[in-house]
Amino acid sequence: MIYLDCAATSLQKPASVRYAVSDAMRTMSSPGRGGYESAMAAAGMVLDCRTALADMFCVSAPERVIFTSSATHGLNIAINSLVKPGDRVVISGYEHNAVWRPLYGRGADIRVAASQLFRPEAAMDAFRRLLPGANAAICCQVSNVFGYILPLEEIAALCRRAGVPLIVDAAQAAGSVGLDFDGLGCAFAAMPGHKGLLGPQGTGVLLCREEQPRPLLYGGTGSVSESVEMPDFLPDRLEPGTHNVPGIAGLLAGLEWLGRRTPAAVLAHERELAAAFCDILSGSDKIRLFRAADPSCQAGVVSLQIKGVDCEEAAERLAARGIAVRAGLHCAPLAHQTAGTLRAGTVRFSFSPFNTFSEVRYAAEQVLSLGV
């Protein structure tokens, strides 16, 4: 199988990730629950992973790195902490349902800073118009549908000047597109462990600037057990219950692999694959490619439509030929509405550090054959 659905989950991972998960299951118990060897081994590994994440994303202190079960979990914590019913929240036109649904459920007054695809200046103008009077803002760093890299640094600067706290959804960026959390001055940034960070499913990370964010879950933490309230310090305040120790161990192994390869090198490789893929398809009048004219505006994700072929049907036919992609709305109907693809959806190809040019050429040839 040629796996080109890394925007959903990085199925291909370094062998060290599998080994780390297995070793943790064999040798580690729970951090903060005892002073014996297996508990201390777990505590040391969890701290190592926090520290590695703090270093990668420029977070001032490891305790501000919170382990979650997913980016969705982290975004819900962030929204629950900052947004009250009726609050005005400005979001980009490319947000995932992990942003839209919690805001809707919270009763927020949602204002969409919609702008044309691959037009950073338009995105900044849209935020500039809507930020005055807002209580919070949310922006994805990279669109999970189109690979569009939004102008996050400029949007963060607008938020700082307007005094509006910013939540960053880094789900599609973490592991390839850099994020300077302290430099941006945002309130929170959420990301999954199982995509670009190459960790197992069931892992996520929330970067936290707030001193005492509002917990989403309540329970035991192994600290201040005599209190009926959650601890008033991080990370314990946001990490009740037993940690996913095998998952965090696998995430640490993924981070170590990325540290040796570097996220910048990963992004360069994925962009080269995407460019090769698009170059093969660009001569066909039956293929509509969503490709940025400026390569710096797009990560290693490409959406397309095939004239006369339903997107779901195209994905099924490609799967029968050994190519794994995703079709439809990709849990981001707002992004499709903004780009004008809501009715039909797209077929999404998302590349990884482990894909090769021969795989990309074969996939492009098969796409061309569907449009004949």
Side-chain angles (χ1 to χ4, degrees), residues 143-182:
S143 164
N144 73 304
V145 179
F146 302 104
Y148 172 28
I149 301 176
L150 279 85
L152 182 61
E153 291 185 7
E154 292 82 357
I155 290 169
L158 291 173
C159 290
R160 291 195 302 271
R161 286 197 289 272
V164 177
L166 173 65
I167 299 169
V168 176
D169 178 0
Q172 211 56 61
S176 57
V177 181
L179 173 69
D180 180 350
F181 181 74
D182 282 351

Side-chain angles (χ1 to χ4, degrees), residues 110-195:
I110 306 170
R111 306 293 177 92
V112 180
S115 59
Q116 290 175 284
L117 185 60
F118 303 128
R119 290 284 306 278
E121 303 86 358
M124 289 183 285
D125 288 342
F127 270 92
R128 190 179 289 110
R129 287 193 303 271
L130 293 178
L131 279 174
N135 301 101
I138 306 178
C139 185
C140 61
Q141 192 174 7
V142 176
S143 164
N144 73 304
V145 179
F146 302 104
Y148 172 28
I149 301 176
L150 279 85
L152 182 61
E153 291 185 7
E154 292 82 357
I155 290 169
L158 291 173
C159 290
R160 291 195 302 271
R161 286 197 289 272
V164 177
L166 173 65
I167 299 169
V168 176
D169 178 0
Q172 211 56 61
S176 57
V177 181
L179 173 69
D180 180 350
F181 181 74
D182 282 351
L184 288 175
C186 50
F188 296 96
M191 63 196 72
H194 67 93
K195 296 187 183 186

